Amino acid sequence: MRRRMKMRLCCVATFFITASGAFAQEADTDSVVKTVRRLGEVVVRAPFVVRETTATSPFQSLSRSEFDRLGITDMADALRRFSGVNIKDYGGAGGMKTVSVRSLGAQHTGVAYDGITLTDCQSGQIDFSRFSLDNVADLSLTVGDNDDIFLPARTVASAASIRLQTLQPDFADQSWHVNAGMKTGSFGLANPFLRYDQRLASKVSMSVFGDFMRADNLYPFTLVNGVYKTREKRENNYIETWRGEWNLYARPNDRSVLNGKVYYYDSFRELPGPLILYNSTSHEELTERNLFSQLHYQTYWDNCWSLQLNGKFNWAYSHYHDQGSEYPDGAMNNRYYQREYYASAAVLYTPWESWAFSYAADYSFNNLTSDATSGVRPYRHTVLQTLSARYRTPRLTLTALLLASIYQNQARGGESARDARRLSPSVSVSWKPLENVDFRLRASYKDIFRVATFTDNYFGRWGNRDVNPEIARQFNMGVTYGKAFRNFWLETLTFSADGYYNYVKDKIVSIPYNMFFWTTTNLGRVDIGGADVNAEAAFRLAGKHRLLAALNYTWQHAVDKTDPSSLYYKDQIPYTPEHSGAFSVTWENPWVNLSCHATGSSERYASVQNIASNRLSGYVEWGIALYRSFRWKGVSCSVRADVQNLGDKQYSIVKNYPMPGRSYKLTFSINL
């Protein structure tokens, strides 16, 4: 283990020294032109200022300052504060975490990192444990289409989109900055991190971020077997990750931006395996590496035209290892290699103040090779095009979009999956009926589909080259309200409520066999009805004392309606709770800020049949956080202490994978 750590330290050091030649995109694609004309929604995130509520589709966001206020501990915890989100969490620091929005499945959730969408052609889903909140400035969720129409086509080719915007340098006071910190806590957690910003020239700057995380994750849990209960400890759960990225920010002129990123991720984790009675033995291991570089260029001209170019190269490697006498050589070693080449171009035309039109075209090439595929090496050409229009006045916003998708599948050494193509329209509207009250009605419709992943088509015992694309139709109606109060104990109040109906044809549901292999089942048809509620309020208590409260609630009724004669007809689909939500309240004061928060879920079922043996009990997990920022000898410092699962609640999100009980975390950081 010590040798592996030394080798990876050398790799990370070499990466930071030699990284160059690729570039990244800013999340706000209108930033280069917003000094001249307003092309996209501007969301105000200053403390105690009401967020704008003009979005035509459901939109939720969290800024960096809110991570502390809401007591958020990691990326998965942040995503739980969004309504409509279900997270599959295998437990422990760094445990695999995937996100499904409104019961549509993780493959329907697009994830954009600094504006360019991440992909995984093998599984179609993104593991959020790969990302660190320490380098994130903003996290947002859009269900449907964003009002910003000046986007790459792939960004809108999903039912929902999660966007991560990393921190950008601020050189208002000096030409360099350093942010360094350390996290430590229960179950052997150690997580140092470092960020360095440097101005290179008047219009060129760079930043470097890196962190290392390790944890034993040998947490105790209670094993229940009928009337018998024993206290056990989670075994084979060690994790070690290295993460680094280099960013370059340039402004060739006052009308253009050129940004770039090189990102590297390396992890080794032991896979604890499911608990079956008293058998917790596991020898599974997973090694993953990911390297990508991306480039973003944006400019505008005086003739009402703007141009955006994006490019990306992505390489990923995973190695699944398992020891056992059932294997011919005493062990299984499956290695997978992914490669992607991606390019995108978009133009924006704004002939009048209220009107904007956009066209975007994306091309990507993906391939996957493995020693576990019997010689089959699949690859895919993807062409996505969008034509968008937006009309906006102070009281009315209307957007319309048409997405054309072409997927061409081929394979070397075997039969390829079928090709797919489709036109997917969407439309959304927001209307403010009262001129002086920030109360809005909104409605949206989106037709979207996804093709099967390479795992669905080719790999393992469940590969099926004839699987049909999954088609989803989303309907949403909602209201938003926001108000800032003056000379009143209630400072700000925001509220949104949305009701929705999703119809899914040829629904593909993935059920975990373990942390690496999944059973894929096509349910044919799924009906999803639900409601999301979000509320935030800020109260002025006295002087420098404020109370901040946030609440989200989700109701979901997602049932299989494929075959009326089946035993699970109208049963809730796997891992979808009917009720879930989160709540937090924060007391800000001159001494030590205090946050108390809770997340919870009602019962779920681990399989398509809703019977007692597949039932997972509901839970509510409480936590508290204490944090404070101060200056010591001219250095800005911050310290934070967290207690997670305060009540030591025993529960599982994925069946037979118990979550940790009560745990502690301490974070200290400095800014120079």
Side-chain angles (χ1 to χ4, degrees), residues 476-502:
N476 186 91
M477 295 187 66
V479 299
T480 65
Y481 174 77
K483 185 175 178 60
F485 300 88
R486 296 183 178 180
N487 301 320
F488 194 61
W489 61 275
L490 177 61
E491 286 191 336
T492 63
L493 174 66
T494 60
F495 173 83
S496 68
D498 291 273
Y500 59 88
Y501 169 73
N502 300 331

PDB file of all heavy atoms in Angstrom, residues 476-502:
ATOM      1  N   ASN A 476     -44.593  19.136 -17.119  1.00  0.00           N
ATOM      2  CA  ASN A 476     -44.389  19.810 -15.835  1.00  0.00           C
ATOM      3  C   ASN A 476     -45.224  21.081 -15.776  1.00  0.00           C
ATOM      4  O   ASN A 476     -45.309  21.828 -16.750  1.00  0.00           O
ATOM      5  CB  ASN A 476     -42.917  20.174 -15.649  1.00  0.00           C
ATOM      6  CG  ASN A 476     -42.625  20.749 -14.275  1.00  0.00           C
ATOM      7  OD1 ASN A 476     -42.294  20.009 -13.345  1.00  0.00           O
ATOM      8  ND2 ASN A 476     -42.743  22.062 -14.103  1.00  0.00           N
ATOM      9  N   MET A 477     -45.844  21.324 -14.627  1.00  0.00           N
ATOM     10  CA  MET A 477     -46.543  22.577 -14.350  1.00  0.00           C
ATOM     11  C   MET A 477     -46.194  23.009 -12.933  1.00  0.00           C
ATOM     12  O   MET A 477     -46.148  22.174 -12.018  1.00  0.00           O
ATOM     13  CB  MET A 477     -48.062  22.425 -14.495  1.00  0.00           C
ATOM     14  CG  MET A 477     -48.532  22.116 -15.901  1.00  0.00           C
ATOM     15  SD  MET A 477     -50.337  22.139 -16.053  1.00  0.00           S
ATOM     16  CE  MET A 477     -50.676  23.874 -15.744  1.00  0.00           C
ATOM     17  N   GLY A 478     -45.901  24.317 -12.760  1.00  0.00           N
ATOM     18  CA  GLY A 478     -45.504  24.756 -11.438  1.00  0.00           C
ATOM     19  C   GLY A 478     -45.676  26.242 -11.214  1.00  0.00           C
ATOM     20  O   GLY A 478     -46.075  26.992 -12.118  1.00  0.00           O
ATOM     21  N   VAL A 479     -45.360  26.641  -9.989  1.00  0.00           N
ATOM     22  CA  VAL A 479     -45.418  28.046  -9.596  1.00  0.00           C
ATOM     23  C   VAL A 479     -44.129  28.390  -8.862  1.00  0.00           C
ATOM     24  O   VAL A 479     -43.504  27.530  -8.227  1.00  0.00           O
ATOM     25  CB  VAL A 479     -46.632  28.349  -8.687  1.00  0.00           C
ATOM     26  CG1 VAL A 479     -47.939  28.044  -9.418  1.00  0.00           C
ATOM     27  CG2 VAL A 479     -46.557  27.545  -7.383  1.00  0.00           C
ATOM     28  N   THR A 480     -43.713  29.650  -8.954  1.00  0.00           N
ATOM     29  CA  THR A 480     -42.560  30.144  -8.203  1.00  0.00           C
ATOM     30  C   THR A 480     -42.923  31.481  -7.573  1.00  0.00           C
ATOM     31  O   THR A 480     -43.722  32.245  -8.123  1.00  0.00           O
ATOM     32  CB  THR A 480     -41.327  30.314  -9.103  1.00  0.00           C
ATOM     33  OG1 THR A 480     -41.590  31.338 -10.074  1.00  0.00           O
ATOM     34  CG2 THR A 480     -40.977  29.018  -9.805  1.00  0.00           C
ATOM     35  N   TYR A 481     -42.308  31.753  -6.435  1.00  0.00           N
ATOM     36  CA  TYR A 481     -42.562  33.018  -5.738  1.00  0.00           C
ATOM     37  C   TYR A 481     -41.299  33.424  -5.008  1.00  0.00           C
ATOM     38  O   TYR A 481     -40.601  32.587  -4.408  1.00  0.00           O
ATOM     39  CB  TYR A 481     -43.711  32.875  -4.738  1.00  0.00           C
ATOM     40  CG  TYR A 481     -43.927  34.105  -3.881  1.00  0.00           C
ATOM     41  CD1 TYR A 481     -44.568  35.231  -4.383  1.00  0.00           C
ATOM     42  CD2 TYR A 481     -43.463  34.138  -2.565  1.00  0.00           C
ATOM     43  CE1 TYR A 481     -44.759  36.361  -3.597  1.00  0.00           C
ATOM     44  CE2 TYR A 481     -43.656  35.259  -1.775  1.00  0.00           C
ATOM     45  CZ  TYR A 481     -44.297  36.371  -2.298  1.00  0.00           C
ATOM     46  OH  TYR A 481     -44.478  37.492  -1.520  1.00  0.00           O
ATOM     47  N   GLY A 482     -40.976  34.701  -5.057  1.00  0.00           N
ATOM     48  CA  GLY A 482     -39.820  35.207  -4.327  1.00  0.00           C
ATOM     49  C   GLY A 482     -40.042  36.642  -3.901  1.00  0.00           C
ATOM     50  O   GLY A 482     -40.646  37.435  -4.629  1.00  0.00           O
ATOM     51  N   LYS A 483     -39.552  36.982  -2.709  1.00  0.00           N
ATOM     52  CA  LYS A 483     -39.734  38.351  -2.209  1.00  0.00           C
ATOM     53  C   LYS A 483     -38.652  38.684  -1.194  1.00  0.00           C
ATOM     54  O   LYS A 483     -38.282  37.864  -0.355  1.00  0.00           O
ATOM     55  CB  LYS A 483     -41.111  38.527  -1.568  1.00  0.00           C
ATOM     56  CG  LYS A 483     -41.408  39.964  -1.126  1.00  0.00           C
ATOM     57  CD  LYS A 483     -42.826  40.118  -0.617  1.00  0.00           C
ATOM     58  CE  LYS A 483     -43.101  41.540  -0.124  1.00  0.00           C
ATOM     59  NZ  LYS A 483     -42.907  42.536  -1.201  1.00  0.00           N
ATOM     60  N   ALA A 484     -38.128  39.897  -1.300  1.00  0.00           N
ATOM     61  CA  ALA A 484     -37.211  40.447  -0.305  1.00  0.00           C
ATOM     62  C   ALA A 484     -37.965  41.486   0.511  1.00  0.00           C
ATOM     63  O   ALA A 484     -38.620  42.372  -0.049  1.00  0.00           O
ATOM     64  CB  ALA A 484     -36.005  41.077  -0.993  1.00  0.00           C
ATOM     65  N   PHE A 485     -37.901  41.376   1.816  1.00  0.00           N
ATOM     66  CA  PHE A 485     -38.648  42.259   2.702  1.00  0.00           C
ATOM     67  C   PHE A 485     -37.706  43.298   3.319  1.00  0.00           C
ATOM     68  O   PHE A 485     -36.553  43.001   3.641  1.00  0.00           O
ATOM     69  CB  PHE A 485     -39.321  41.461   3.819  1.00  0.00           C
ATOM     70  CG  PHE A 485     -40.290  40.420   3.322  1.00  0.00           C
ATOM     71  CD1 PHE A 485     -39.841  39.146   3.008  1.00  0.00           C
ATOM     72  CD2 PHE A 485     -41.632  40.713   3.161  1.00  0.00           C
ATOM     73  CE1 PHE A 485     -40.718  38.175   2.559  1.00  0.00           C
ATOM     74  CE2 PHE A 485     -42.517  39.751   2.714  1.00  0.00           C
ATOM     75  CZ  PHE A 485     -42.061  38.477   2.410  1.00  0.00           C
ATOM     76  N   ARG A 486     -38.198  44.487   3.517  1.00  0.00           N
ATOM     77  CA  ARG A 486     -37.423  45.550   4.150  1.00  0.00           C
ATOM     78  C   ARG A 486     -38.072  45.927   5.486  1.00  0.00           C
ATOM     79  O   ARG A 486     -39.287  45.944   5.613  1.00  0.00           O
ATOM     80  CB  ARG A 486     -37.367  46.787   3.258  1.00  0.00           C
ATOM     81  CG  ARG A 486     -36.627  46.544   1.938  1.00  0.00           C
ATOM     82  CD  ARG A 486     -36.539  47.821   1.130  1.00  0.00           C
ATOM     83  NE  ARG A 486     -35.798  47.622  -0.123  1.00  0.00           N
ATOM     84  CZ  ARG A 486     -35.572  48.578  -1.012  1.00  0.00           C
ATOM     85  NH1 ARG A 486     -36.025  49.817  -0.792  1.00  0.00           N
ATOM     86  NH2 ARG A 486     -34.911  48.309  -2.121  1.00  0.00           N
ATOM     87  N   ASN A 487     -37.205  46.215   6.451  1.00  0.00           N
ATOM     88  CA  ASN A 487     -37.688  46.628   7.774  1.00  0.00           C
ATOM     89  C   ASN A 487     -38.650  45.606   8.358  1.00  0.00           C
ATOM     90  O   ASN A 487     -39.703  45.943   8.887  1.00  0.00           O
ATOM     91  CB  ASN A 487     -38.362  48.004   7.685  1.00  0.00           C
ATOM     92  CG  ASN A 487     -37.421  49.061   7.167  1.00  0.00           C
ATOM     93  OD1 ASN A 487     -36.244  49.089   7.520  1.00  0.00           O
ATOM     94  ND2 ASN A 487     -37.932  49.929   6.304  1.00  0.00           N
ATOM     95  N   PHE A 488     -38.286  44.346   8.229  1.00  0.00           N
ATOM     96  CA  PHE A 488     -39.158  43.282   8.699  1.00  0.00           C
ATOM     97  C   PHE A 488     -38.275  42.138   9.176  1.00  0.00           C
ATOM     98  O   PHE A 488     -37.163  41.940   8.683  1.00  0.00           O
ATOM     99  CB  PHE A 488     -40.084  42.820   7.564  1.00  0.00           C
ATOM    100  CG  PHE A 488     -41.237  41.964   8.025  1.00  0.00           C
ATOM    101  CD1 PHE A 488     -42.177  42.471   8.912  1.00  0.00           C
ATOM    102  CD2 PHE A 488     -41.370  40.665   7.576  1.00  0.00           C
ATOM    103  CE1 PHE A 488     -43.236  41.695   9.328  1.00  0.00           C
ATOM    104  CE2 PHE A 488     -42.426  39.873   7.985  1.00  0.00           C
ATOM    105  CZ  PHE A 488     -43.368  40.393   8.862  1.00  0.00           C
ATOM    106  N   TRP A 489     -38.749  41.357  10.144  1.00  0.00           N
ATOM    107  CA  TRP A 489     -37.944  40.271  10.687  1.00  0.00           C
ATOM    108  C   TRP A 489     -37.706  39.167   9.662  1.00  0.00           C
ATOM    109  O   TRP A 489     -36.718  38.443   9.726  1.00  0.00           O
ATOM    110  CB  TRP A 489     -38.605  39.693  11.938  1.00  0.00           C
ATOM    111  CG  TRP A 489     -39.968  39.118  11.669  1.00  0.00           C
ATOM    112  CD1 TRP A 489     -41.156  39.777  11.638  1.00  0.00           C
ATOM    113  CD2 TRP A 489     -40.261  37.745  11.386  1.00  0.00           C
ATOM    114  NE1 TRP A 489     -42.182  38.920  11.347  1.00  0.00           N
ATOM    115  CE2 TRP A 489     -41.660  37.660  11.196  1.00  0.00           C
ATOM    116  CE3 TRP A 489     -39.502  36.591  11.275  1.00  0.00           C
ATOM    117  CZ2 TRP A 489     -42.306  36.465  10.892  1.00  0.00           C
ATOM    118  CZ3 TRP A 489     -40.135  35.385  10.977  1.00  0.00           C
ATOM    119  CH2 TRP A 489     -41.515  35.344  10.796  1.00  0.00           C
ATOM    120  N   LEU A 490     -38.601  39.027   8.680  1.00  0.00           N
ATOM    121  CA  LEU A 490     -38.401  38.084   7.592  1.00  0.00           C
ATOM    122  C   LEU A 490     -37.696  38.811   6.452  1.00  0.00           C
ATOM    123  O   LEU A 490     -38.252  39.710   5.839  1.00  0.00           O
ATOM    124  CB  LEU A 490     -39.741  37.522   7.121  1.00  0.00           C
ATOM    125  CG  LEU A 490     -39.695  36.554   5.927  1.00  0.00           C
ATOM    126  CD1 LEU A 490     -38.859  35.324   6.257  1.00  0.00           C
ATOM    127  CD2 LEU A 490     -41.112  36.148   5.525  1.00  0.00           C
ATOM    128  N   GLU A 491     -36.443  38.419   6.160  1.00  0.00           N
ATOM    129  CA  GLU A 491     -35.664  39.129   5.152  1.00  0.00           C
ATOM    130  C   GLU A 491     -35.998  38.686   3.739  1.00  0.00           C
ATOM    131  O   GLU A 491     -36.242  39.508   2.863  1.00  0.00           O
ATOM    132  CB  GLU A 491     -34.170  38.923   5.403  1.00  0.00           C
ATOM    133  CG  GLU A 491     -33.629  39.695   6.589  1.00  0.00           C
ATOM    134  CD  GLU A 491     -32.114  39.662   6.611  1.00  0.00           C
ATOM    135  OE1 GLU A 491     -31.517  38.721   6.026  1.00  0.00           O
ATOM    136  OE2 GLU A 491     -31.513  40.574   7.198  1.00  0.00           O
ATOM    137  N   THR A 492     -35.942  37.380   3.470  1.00  0.00           N
ATOM    138  CA  THR A 492     -36.223  36.868   2.131  1.00  0.00           C
ATOM    139  C   THR A 492     -37.042  35.599   2.220  1.00  0.00           C
ATOM    140  O   THR A 492     -36.986  34.855   3.207  1.00  0.00           O
ATOM    141  CB  THR A 492     -34.925  36.561   1.354  1.00  0.00           C
ATOM    142  OG1 THR A 492     -34.205  35.534   2.040  1.00  0.00           O
ATOM    143  CG2 THR A 492     -34.057  37.802   1.219  1.00  0.00           C
ATOM    144  N   LEU A 493     -37.791  35.339   1.155  1.00  0.00           N
ATOM    145  CA  LEU A 493     -38.589  34.121   1.065  1.00  0.00           C
ATOM    146  C   LEU A 493     -38.679  33.706  -0.394  1.00  0.00           C
ATOM    147  O   LEU A 493     -39.008  34.525  -1.259  1.00  0.00           O
ATOM    148  CB  LEU A 493     -39.998  34.351   1.630  1.00  0.00           C
ATOM    149  CG  LEU A 493     -40.991  33.185   1.468  1.00  0.00           C
ATOM    150  CD1 LEU A 493     -40.534  31.984   2.289  1.00  0.00           C
ATOM    151  CD2 LEU A 493     -42.401  33.624   1.874  1.00  0.00           C
ATOM    152  N   THR A 494     -38.345  32.471  -0.676  1.00  0.00           N
ATOM    153  CA  THR A 494     -38.526  31.915  -2.014  1.00  0.00           C
ATOM    154  C   THR A 494     -39.274  30.595  -1.887  1.00  0.00           C
ATOM    155  O   THR A 494     -39.092  29.843  -0.918  1.00  0.00           O
ATOM    156  CB  THR A 494     -37.195  31.680  -2.731  1.00  0.00           C
ATOM    157  OG1 THR A 494     -36.405  30.765  -1.966  1.00  0.00           O
ATOM    158  CG2 THR A 494     -36.438  32.983  -2.921  1.00  0.00           C
ATOM    159  N   PHE A 495     -40.092  30.309  -2.892  1.00  0.00           N
ATOM    160  CA  PHE A 495     -40.922  29.105  -2.863  1.00  0.00           C
ATOM    161  C   PHE A 495     -41.175  28.642  -4.291  1.00  0.00           C
ATOM    162  O   PHE A 495     -41.380  29.471  -5.189  1.00  0.00           O
ATOM    163  CB  PHE A 495     -42.259  29.392  -2.164  1.00  0.00           C
ATOM    164  CG  PHE A 495     -43.240  28.249  -2.232  1.00  0.00           C
ATOM    165  CD1 PHE A 495     -43.163  27.203  -1.327  1.00  0.00           C
ATOM    166  CD2 PHE A 495     -44.227  28.216  -3.209  1.00  0.00           C
ATOM    167  CE1 PHE A 495     -44.055  26.147  -1.393  1.00  0.00           C
ATOM    168  CE2 PHE A 495     -45.133  27.175  -3.274  1.00  0.00           C
ATOM    169  CZ  PHE A 495     -45.049  26.128  -2.360  1.00  0.00           C
ATOM    170  N   SER A 496     -41.127  27.346  -4.499  1.00  0.00           N
ATOM    171  CA  SER A 496     -41.507  26.779  -5.793  1.00  0.00           C
ATOM    172  C   SER A 496     -42.187  25.441  -5.564  1.00  0.00           C
ATOM    173  O   SER A 496     -41.855  24.704  -4.623  1.00  0.00           O
ATOM    174  CB  SER A 496     -40.284  26.601  -6.706  1.00  0.00           C
ATOM    175  OG  SER A 496     -39.416  25.608  -6.207  1.00  0.00           O
ATOM    176  N   ALA A 497     -43.151  25.146  -6.410  1.00  0.00           N
ATOM    177  CA  ALA A 497     -43.861  23.869  -6.358  1.00  0.00           C
ATOM    178  C   ALA A 497     -44.163  23.441  -7.786  1.00  0.00           C
ATOM    179  O   ALA A 497     -44.639  24.242  -8.594  1.00  0.00           O
ATOM    180  CB  ALA A 497     -45.150  23.983  -5.549  1.00  0.00           C
ATOM    181  N   ASP A 498     -43.854  22.191  -8.087  1.00  0.00           N
ATOM    182  CA  ASP A 498     -44.069  21.658  -9.430  1.00  0.00           C
ATOM    183  C   ASP A 498     -44.737  20.298  -9.346  1.00  0.00           C
ATOM    184  O   ASP A 498     -44.363  19.450  -8.521  1.00  0.00           O
ATOM    185  CB  ASP A 498     -42.742  21.514 -10.169  1.00  0.00           C
ATOM    186  CG  ASP A 498     -42.113  22.845 -10.521  1.00  0.00           C
ATOM    187  OD1 ASP A 498     -42.444  23.376 -11.588  1.00  0.00           O
ATOM    188  OD2 ASP A 498     -41.305  23.349  -9.720  1.00  0.00           O
ATOM    189  N   GLY A 499     -45.723  20.096 -10.215  1.00  0.00           N
ATOM    190  CA  GLY A 499     -46.308  18.785 -10.400  1.00  0.00           C
ATOM    191  C   GLY A 499     -45.906  18.264 -11.772  1.00  0.00           C
ATOM    192  O   GLY A 499     -45.828  19.031 -12.734  1.00  0.00           O
ATOM    193  N   TYR A 500     -45.638  16.977 -11.879  1.00  0.00           N
ATOM    194  CA  TYR A 500     -45.143  16.456 -13.147  1.00  0.00           C
ATOM    195  C   TYR A 500     -45.696  15.066 -13.436  1.00  0.00           C
ATOM    196  O   TYR A 500     -46.145  14.331 -12.547  1.00  0.00           O
ATOM    197  CB  TYR A 500     -43.615  16.418 -13.155  1.00  0.00           C
ATOM    198  CG  TYR A 500     -42.981  15.579 -12.065  1.00  0.00           C
ATOM    199  CD1 TYR A 500     -42.744  14.214 -12.228  1.00  0.00           C
ATOM    200  CD2 TYR A 500     -42.609  16.156 -10.852  1.00  0.00           C
ATOM    201  CE1 TYR A 500     -42.159  13.467 -11.242  1.00  0.00           C
ATOM    202  CE2 TYR A 500     -42.016  15.412  -9.850  1.00  0.00           C
ATOM    203  CZ  TYR A 500     -41.791  14.059 -10.054  1.00  0.00           C
ATOM    204  OH  TYR A 500     -41.212  13.318  -9.064  1.00  0.00           O
ATOM    205  N   TYR A 501     -45.658  14.750 -14.711  1.00  0.00           N
ATOM    206  CA  TYR A 501     -46.021  13.414 -15.179  1.00  0.00           C
ATOM    207  C   TYR A 501     -45.025  13.003 -16.247  1.00  0.00           C
ATOM    208  O   TYR A 501     -44.783  13.748 -17.205  1.00  0.00           O
ATOM    209  CB  TYR A 501     -47.439  13.387 -15.748  1.00  0.00           C
ATOM    210  CG  TYR A 501     -47.763  12.101 -16.477  1.00  0.00           C
ATOM    211  CD1 TYR A 501     -47.972  10.918 -15.777  1.00  0.00           C
ATOM    212  CD2 TYR A 501     -47.838  12.071 -17.872  1.00  0.00           C
ATOM    213  CE1 TYR A 501     -48.249   9.733 -16.436  1.00  0.00           C
ATOM    214  CE2 TYR A 501     -48.126  10.891 -18.545  1.00  0.00           C
ATOM    215  CZ  TYR A 501     -48.329   9.723 -17.821  1.00  0.00           C
ATOM    216  OH  TYR A 501     -48.606   8.548 -18.487  1.00  0.00           O
ATOM    217  N   ASN A 502     -44.394  11.844 -16.069  1.00  0.00           N
ATOM    218  CA  ASN A 502     -43.459  11.292 -17.039  1.00  0.00           C
ATOM    219  C   ASN A 502     -43.989   9.966 -17.554  1.00  0.00           C
ATOM    220  O   ASN A 502     -44.376   9.097 -16.755  1.00  0.00           O
ATOM    221  CB  ASN A 502     -42.076  11.066 -16.412  1.00  0.00           C
ATOM    222  CG  ASN A 502     -41.460  12.338 -15.878  1.00  0.00           C
ATOM    223  OD1 ASN A 502     -41.721  13.425 -16.374  1.00  0.00           O
ATOM    224  ND2 ASN A 502     -40.637  12.209 -14.848  1.00  0.00           N
TER     225      ASN A 502
END
